[in-house]
Amino acid sequence: MAETLISTTARAFYDDDVVCLIDVLLRDKYLRDDDMAPRLSLPAKQLRRTLQFLEEEQLVKHELVDDLAMGGSQNTKFWYIDYNHTVHVIRLRIHLLQQKLQAAELRARSSSLYLCPGYNSKTCNGRYNETDAQQIVDPETGLFLCRECVRAYANHPNPPNKKDYTLKLVDNQKELKSAMDNMRRVRVQLSSKLDMQSQPLRQGIFDLLQKLRSIKGADPITSNLPSENISMGIGSKRIAGTGRTAGILLKKQQKQGIVSADGIGGVGGPGGAHNLGGGRRNDEDELTFLKNAIGQEIAFDLEKGGGARANLLATKGRIRNRLVDAAAMKVG
């Protein structure tokens, strides 16, 4: 239901390139920053610009994931849609949009605007609301006069006729009609659409928000974190040969005989080169590296049994201290 709401909202308010990217994120669950360009056959700069725009719109997030095992880096950026957060963002924006349209309609219905004839000819700034227009009233006619013109012509030897600076009520029917049309268009666009047989052609945003709100006892909406999806085997696999450490990983596999020199699966089985984005490998096949002071990567292999010896050396002193303490207690 959340995916349907996000897809419908994207089609209602955004351009085609945004809609396509949203659909890919909903289908694949996430996109790696370093392999999304060849995957979608689009320039990486254009994709990052669109994703950053969606991140500013609070529709897309990114998570830094350790993707060394698949040929990436220790901080590979994964773009994804946080379903829970995005649903709340859509609900808030629809509410604010309705509030803005209702305020515009109320303002058009309740406000009155008075203009001085000199305002159109740019001889004065006589534009007043209903309260300010009542400051100066002609005692003979009971009509409202422009305050600026009254002060200007107070000591004038030949003042113009009062009709020339008597305020006139502006007809705001056009503004009211525009506000009501905006309300109607938004209501139609965000509601469900039915065909001639009363069958739904599309689901409306209002209906989807109501369904998400009215589900009681259901599981909370997932955050769709890439790290959680990867651990459960959900999402797209990395394209072979992409990633910051893909070359190092391929050389290591060739050295171990998993793949041949031409990238075809070797002793480790067929399709070894495509195992870069595939399932889990043995611990001995994992790539491990550190960085030196200038940021260069230093690859190294873990010696078999080295971890056990290191642990023994680290705990040897503590074991000796416990034996000495026990002996001291017996002597005492």
Side-chain angles (χ1 to χ4, degrees):
M1 190 69 69
E3 291 181 347
T4 306
L5 173 64
I6 296 170
S7 177
T8 305
T9 304
R11 283 164 171 76
F13 294 101
Y14 294 97
D15 296 333
D16 293 341
D17 56 341
V18 174
V19 173
C20 293
L21 199 51
I22 290 289
D23 286 345
V24 171
L25 287 171
L26 293 175
R27 182 194 65 193
D28 295 343
K29 304 306 179 186
Y30 52 75
L31 281 174
R32 297 175 181 83
D33 188 77
D34 53 5
D35 83 332
M36 61 183 180
R39 182 181 300 277
L40 302 179
S41 300
L42 290 172
K45 185 179 293 185
Q46 177 185 348
L47 289 172
R48 290 192 184 99
R49 184 168 58 247
T50 305
L51 287 168
Q52 287 171 359
F53 165 73
L54 289 174
E55 191 172 29
E56 293 172 359
E57 293 286 301
Q58 300 291 318
L59 297 180
V60 165
K61 291 184 177 182
H62 73 269
E63 182 186 18
L64 299 179
V65 181
D66 186 352
D67 199 37
L68 272 176
M70 298 301 173
S73 64
Q74 288 177 308
N75 290 314
T76 301
K77 182 181 289 188
F78 280 68
W79 297 94
Y80 71 103
I81 298 176
D82 186 338
Y83 292 162
N84 185 46
H85 177 76
T86 305
V87 167
H88 289 310
V89 168
I90 293 173
R91 181 178 288 120
L92 175 61
R93 289 192 172 180
I94 295 299
H95 174 69
L96 295 177
L97 176 61
Q98 288 181 300
Q99 276 191 335
K100 183 178 180 180
L101 294 174
Q102 291 171 359
E105 183 181 3
L106 180 62
R107 185 170 57 250
R109 289 183 181 277
S110 59
S111 64
S112 298
L113 181 64
Y114 290 85
L115 292 181
C116 176
Y119 182 83
N120 295 327
S121 60
K122 298 183 180 180
T123 58
C124 73
N125 298 315
R127 179 187 174 96
Y128 306 97
N129 58 25
E130 199 169 32
T131 303
D132 295 337
Q134 301 178 29
Q135 298 298 321
I136 299 179
V137 181
D138 185 5
E140 298 177 0
T141 61
L143 299 176
F144 303 141
L145 300 178
C146 175
R147 288 181 294 171
E148 186 175 342
C149 293
V150 168
R151 295 192 187 99
Y153 300 134
N155 299 320
H156 199 282
N158 296 312
N161 195 314
K162 289 183 179 179
K163 292 182 179 180
D164 294 339
Y165 52 93
T166 299
L167 300 181
K168 296 181 179 180
L169 179 63
V170 177
D171 185 13
N172 63 344
Q173 290 298 318
K174 184 181 295 186
E175 182 180 354
L176 177 60
K177 184 177 182 298
S178 175
M180 295 178 65
D181 287 343
N182 290 336
M183 285 282 293
R184 179 187 57 80
R185 283 198 296 267
V186 170
R187 187 163 49 249
V188 169
Q189 187 176 5
L190 302 186
S191 300
S192 300
K193 186 176 182 180
L194 305 177
D195 59 9
M196 300 298 293
Q197 287 76 31
S198 298
Q199 297 297 325
L201 292 176
R202 72 175 184 209
Q203 291 183 316
I205 296 178
F206 287 146
D207 298 334
L208 292 171
L209 285 173
Q210 185 62 32
K211 289 178 181 179
L212 285 171
R213 182 183 289 119
S214 60
I215 298 177
K216 295 182 179 180
D219 295 333
I221 302 175
T222 178
S223 295
N224 193 39
L225 288 173
S227 55
E228 296 178 355
N229 287 330
I230 293 173
S231 64
M232 294 185 293
I234 300 174
S236 59
K237 304 299 182 182
R238 175 179 288 280
I239 297 177
T242 61
R244 212 172 108 195
T245 60
I248 301 176
L249 182 58
L250 181 60
K251 290 180 181 178
K252 184 176 179 67
Q253 289 180 335
Q254 291 174 350
K255 181 179 179 181
Q256 294 175 348
I258 299 176
V259 295
S260 60
D262 56 0
I264 302 175
V267 178
H274 299 285
N275 198 32
L276 292 175
R280 184 182 299 274
R281 297 184 302 276
N282 295 330
D283 292 339
E284 62 182 6
D285 295 335
E286 296 292 338
L287 178 67
T288 309
F289 71 87
L290 294 175
K291 293 182 179 180
N292 59 15
I294 62 175
Q296 294 176 337
E297 297 172 1
I298 305 174
F300 64 93
D301 294 331
L302 291 177
E303 181 183 355
K304 188 174 181 180
R309 289 198 297 274
N311 184 56
L312 177 62
L313 292 175
T315 58
K316 186 175 180 181
R318 292 199 297 268
I319 296 174
R320 183 174 62 248
N321 291 337
R322 285 200 297 268
L323 293 175
V324 172
D325 293 340
M329 291 177 62
K330 290 183 180 180
V331 172

